Amino acid sequence: MNIEDVTRVTTDAIYTVISTAAPVLLISLTVGLLVSIFQTVTSIQEQTLTFVPKILAIFISIMLLGQWMMNNMSSLMIRLWGDFSVYIR
């Protein structure tokens, strides 16, 4: 296994992780921003008000996007295991 193979595997893995996690992180960021704006406008400073909506949004987004996320990660692992004979040389 040469340096090009290591670089390709690492790049592919990092890209897969980022592209898989990005939708859930963006949803969490959006909900947090909306709740923060709501708190600023209404002067409510309750800590659970920021926590509960983000947890619910993340839970719902994982329910909706979970199969797609699992397919992304599974396809990466299938590619890695398919090229295993190249890696052990």
Side-chain angles (χ1 to χ4, degrees), residues 36 38 43 86:
S36 177
F38 175 75
S43 298
V86 174

Side-chain angles (χ1 to χ4, degrees), residues 30-65:
T30 304
V31 170
L33 181 64
L34 292 175
V35 170
S36 177
I37 291 172
F38 175 75
Q39 280 185 322
T40 303
V41 169
T42 60
S43 298
I44 298 173
Q45 295 303 321
E46 181 64 32
Q47 293 298 321
T48 58
L49 187 61
T50 60
F51 185 71
V52 173
K54 281 171 49 172
I55 291 294
L56 289 175
I58 290 172
F59 179 72
I60 290 169
S61 65
I62 289 176
M63 283 178 49
L64 294 175
L65 299 172

